[in-house]
Amino acid sequence: MIFLPHNRNSLGEAAALARGRIAPNVYDTIAFAMLVALLVLLAHGAAGMRAPSELLTTSPVTLDLANLPEYALRTTLRMFAAIVVSLIFTFTVATLAAKSRRAEMVIIPALDILQSVPVLGFLTFTVTFFMGLFPGSQLGAECAAIFAIFTSQAWNMAFSFYQSLRTVPGDLDEVSRGFGLSAWQRFWRLEAPFAAPGLIWNTMMSMSGGWFFVVASEAITVGNTTVQLPGIGSWLAIAIDKQDFKAVAWAVLAMAILILLYDQLLFRPVVAWADKFRFEQTAGQEKPRSWVYDILRRARLLQTVGLPLAWLWQRAMLLRLSKRALPATSAASRQLSRAIDIAWLGLVFVVALWGAYETVVYLRQTLGWGDVVEAFEGGLLTLLRVVVLIAVASVIWVPIGVWIGLRPAVAERVQPLAQFLAAFPANVLFPFAVIAIVATGASPSIWLSPLMVLGTQWYILFNVIAGASAFPSDLKEAASVFRLKSWTWWRSVILPGIFPYYVTGALTASGGSWNASIVAELASWGNTKLEAFGLGSYIAKATEAGDFPRVILGIAVMSLFVTLFNRTLWRPLYVFAERRMRLD
């Protein structure tokens, strides 16, 4: 009993220590203020999205500088809504494609086609649909704009996640199976963490790349339907139409501020948090830093509130949502599985053939062979531009991306700059391009082409940075020990290591360039319009005129070109990269 007072003191000290651990501190105050500000902005923006549609006419978008913060908020909310939907799409569709051979037969060709369909192609058919769902409300036009931005973000993220799931190192997969992890546990303990670096960088790229199509998404003109939603995209469209350089400059400044804010408040904390998913930690390696992440880690009350969620997540990780292991399949079962695969592939082929037949029947009612020839000629010219531009972008950005990715401190500093450059819309450069081309008498078919790759070349850079950042340190040390340098180091060490990431970046960059052709091949500055003959300008003119048969023809031809190009080049490279990773 003589130790009782000491025990009482110990218990009191422990209780005081426990209270100190959960008592709010200054970091809780900062986190709470940030959370309240976020909720207020969300509530304000959501209220504007649900406003009556007649306000778009009675209170149209103007170039009044006082309205720019409101427009910036509305645009940001649309882009984040689209990125959330893109993440849901990625985790479901890309995972299904990676796990199911039969689903892959449908999903991957569908993604090839969908990434080639231009934003205007989606808007042509979705504006009326969404506005019909919410009559008398701006929410219909908002959904159409969000869906259009989603189509500029989702395919890149899905391809990245699919590529990562298919290239999980075989030894790690064997270890996870050796520990008896179920498919559910293996996904969250191995596959998702392995895919995290590439997915995070591609999410940042998709967020930035969405800015490229903001003008087309917010300033919608389809035939007789014209909708201008409050946002930076509509501001830019009006400024370009009025030849107002000052308003264009204000829009660019607003974009730069927004990119800096969501880089600091969202993406940099995510990068710092995801560093724990690295499969190796090298002594002395500099870790990503984020002041927001540090605040959240040190906020006591916030961590206490999050304990129930953490407990639920840990319980969810104990679930074993998988089928029981089946015995080795017999020859008869393998033949049955092969027959099912053939039947499934035949069904997919029949459905695709039926869709092509219905499209041809519809187009024959109003169009002739001359229109088809014109669309194919435009497609060949656009294909030539895409191939040349992707090759040039690869030569430039692969070495730079490797240099940045192998240096975490440099990557941390370059990240916001790269996001801004990726977000910089080509529309802002239209005035300078149009003025320069008119003044020099240069050919628009040649000098408008670089505008196609301005917003898509960053897919290559971001994916190469992600690949170089994830490159194993033991391989770098082995290359250093063997003194591999110059071209030998590139050919035998780093290029094989980043190859899967590069293929993902180049594939999505080529698809994005096709998509960007509708903006880049038809540039305007006030009443001055320049056209580069190609499939993008063909679709843009048909959309503006409300010529639905030619829009469908242009989209069909573009989908055909992109699908054939992907199947003959990028898909074999994907298979090669997957086999290489499995062998390694």
Side-chain angles (χ1 to χ4, degrees):
M1 298 297 296
I2 59 175
F3 297 104
L4 184 59
H6 175 72
N7 290 340
R8 287 177 177 174
N9 291 336
S10 299
L11 291 174
E13 292 174 0
L17 181 61
R19 287 192 299 270
R21 287 176 177 174
I22 63 174
N25 56 17
V26 64
Y27 298 105
D28 284 294
T29 304
I30 298 174
F32 180 75
M34 293 170 59
L35 182 61
V36 170
L38 176 62
L39 293 177
V40 170
L41 290 175
L42 285 175
H44 179 73
M49 288 182 173
R50 299 194 307 268
S53 57
E54 55 264 21
L55 287 179
L56 297 177
T57 304
T58 58
S59 300
V61 178
T62 64
L63 297 183
D64 184 358
L65 190 59
N67 294 331
L68 189 56
E70 172 75 15
Y71 296 164
L73 173 63
R74 297 285 292 273
T75 296
T76 304
L77 290 182
R78 293 183 193 110
M79 296 187 68
F80 274 104
I83 211 73
V84 170
V85 178
S86 298
L87 283 171
I88 297 172
F89 177 87
T90 296
F91 275 100
T92 54
V93 176
T95 303
L96 183 61
K99 298 293 184 180
S100 172
R101 184 177 65 256
R102 296 182 184 118
E104 182 186 23
M105 296 177 186
V106 178
I107 292 174
I108 297 305
L111 289 179
D112 287 338
I113 295 173
L114 288 171
Q115 74 162 340
S116 68
V117 177
V119 169
L120 290 183
F122 286 107
L123 286 173
T124 303
F125 304 100
T126 57
V127 170
T128 304
F129 170 75
F130 282 114
M131 293 184 72
L133 286 179
F134 304 96
S137 173
Q138 293 185 30
L139 196 56
E142 294 282 356
C143 289
I146 291 171
F147 182 79
I149 298 172
F150 160 82
T151 61
S152 68
Q153 297 174 338
W155 324 130
N156 167 55
M157 296 165 59
F159 274 123
S160 169
F161 199 66
Y162 166 80
Q163 169 258 321
S164 297
L165 293 183
R166 294 300 300 266
T167 56
V168 173
D171 53 350
L172 296 179
D173 187 64
E174 291 177 5
V175 169
S176 68
R177 295 179 187 276
F179 279 105
L181 298 183
S182 65
W184 168 262
Q185 293 170 326
R186 193 161 57 250
F187 177 81
W188 290 110
R189 298 294 188 187
L190 171 61
E191 295 166 343
F194 177 80
L199 180 61
I200 290 171
W201 276 97
N202 277 281
T203 301
M204 290 189 290
M205 176 62 231
S206 293
M207 184 69 180
S208 298
W211 285 98
F212 191 86
F213 299 101
V214 159
V215 173
S217 303
E218 294 181 349
I220 306 169
T221 300
V222 179
N224 296 325
T225 303
T226 299
V227 177
Q228 281 192 333
L229 292 169
I232 294 181
S234 297
W235 173 289
L236 267 176
I238 296 174
I240 291 173
D241 186 60
K242 293 184 176 181
Q243 298 181 316
D244 191 336
F245 276 109
K246 185 177 179 180
V248 171
W250 279 115
V252 173
L253 177 61
M255 285 175 48
I257 294 173
L258 285 175
I259 293 168
L260 179 63
L261 284 175
Y262 66 64
D263 171 72
Q264 291 291 321
L265 299 178
L266 177 63
F267 286 127
R268 188 157 297 198
V270 169
V271 171
W273 168 78
D275 184 68
K276 65 182 181 181
F277 293 136
R278 293 177 61 92
F279 290 107
E280 57 175 8
Q281 297 289 342
T282 304
Q285 181 179 3
E286 187 174 351
K287 296 181 179 295
R289 294 170 299 176
S290 168
W291 61 272
V292 175
Y293 184 61
D294 291 339
I295 288 175
L296 295 178
R297 290 183 60 190
R298 296 172 183 175
R300 299 171 183 169
L301 185 60
L302 192 64
Q303 292 184 6
T304 303
V305 173
L307 286 178
L309 296 177
W311 182 86
L312 289 175
W313 178 252
Q314 292 299 327
R315 300 287 77 75
M317 288 299 98
L318 298 178
L319 296 176
R320 304 185 61 83
L321 304 178
S322 64
K323 298 179 181 179
R324 293 183 178 180
L326 298 176
T329 56
S330 63
S333 61
R334 287 196 297 269
Q335 291 180 357
L336 177 61
S337 177
R338 191 176 299 111
I340 294 175
D341 287 345
I342 294 174
W344 174 251
L345 190 60
L347 177 62
V348 172
F349 178 77
V350 169
V351 172
L353 193 62
W354 173 80
Y357 173 77
E358 289 295 327
T359 302
V360 171
V361 170
Y362 174 75
L363 295 178
R364 285 186 61 185
Q365 296 175 2
T366 53
L367 302 180
W369 285 109
D371 299 295
V372 177
V373 171
E374 181 184 1
F376 269 88
E377 288 177 348
L380 288 173
L381 281 176
T382 302
L383 173 63
L384 178 61
R385 294 186 182 107
V386 170
V387 172
V388 172
L389 291 171
I390 294 301
V392 172
S394 299
V395 171
I396 295 173
W397 294 115
V398 168
I400 295 176
V402 169
W403 186 83
I404 295 173
L406 294 179
R407 295 163 176 79
V410 176
E412 183 180 356
R413 295 184 180 94
V414 168
Q415 177 183 321
L417 175 62
Q419 287 187 67
F420 174 74
L421 293 175
F424 196 85
N427 315 68
V428 175
L429 298 179
F430 283 180
F432 307 100
V434 171
I435 293 172
I437 291 173
V438 171
T440 59
S443 172
S445 296
I446 296 176
W447 295 105
L448 284 180
S449 300
L451 298 177
M452 291 172 53
V453 79
L454 281 180
T456 59
Q457 60 184 337
W458 312 109
Y459 289 114
I460 298 174
L461 176 62
F462 274 52
N463 277 277
V464 171
I465 291 176
S469 300
F471 192 76
S473 297
D474 54 353
L475 293 182
K476 289 188 287 187
E477 294 172 359
S480 177
V481 169
F482 285 102
R483 297 182 180 179
L484 299 180
K485 297 180 180 179
S486 188
W487 172 240
T488 303
W489 180 80
W490 281 94
R491 182 187 61 194
S492 303
V493 181
I494 196 64
L495 287 181
I498 66 168
F499 188 69
Y501 296 88
Y502 167 75
V503 173
T504 299
L507 187 151
T508 50
S510 63
S513 296
W514 281 95
N515 206 325
S517 66
I518 62 169
V519 179
E521 291 181 349
L522 192 64
S524 64
W525 176 240
N527 296 324
T528 304
K529 292 187 178 181
L530 295 179
E531 177 184 348
F533 179 69
L535 195 54
S537 59
Y538 180 91
I539 295 174
K541 290 189 298 182
T543 302
E544 186 176 354
D547 191 344
F548 294 107
R550 283 183 172 80
V551 171
I552 294 176
L553 175 61
I555 292 174
V557 172
M558 185 175 285
S559 300
L560 178 63
F561 271 95
V562 173
T563 302
L564 292 177
F565 188 59
N566 288 350
R567 287 289 148 182
T568 55
L569 178 62
W570 299 123
R571 206 49 57 189
L573 290 179
Y574 247 131
V575 174
F576 175 77
E578 179 183 340
R579 290 177 178 174
R580 183 69 178 265
M581 290 295 292
R582 289 296 181 182
L583 290 175
D584 292 344

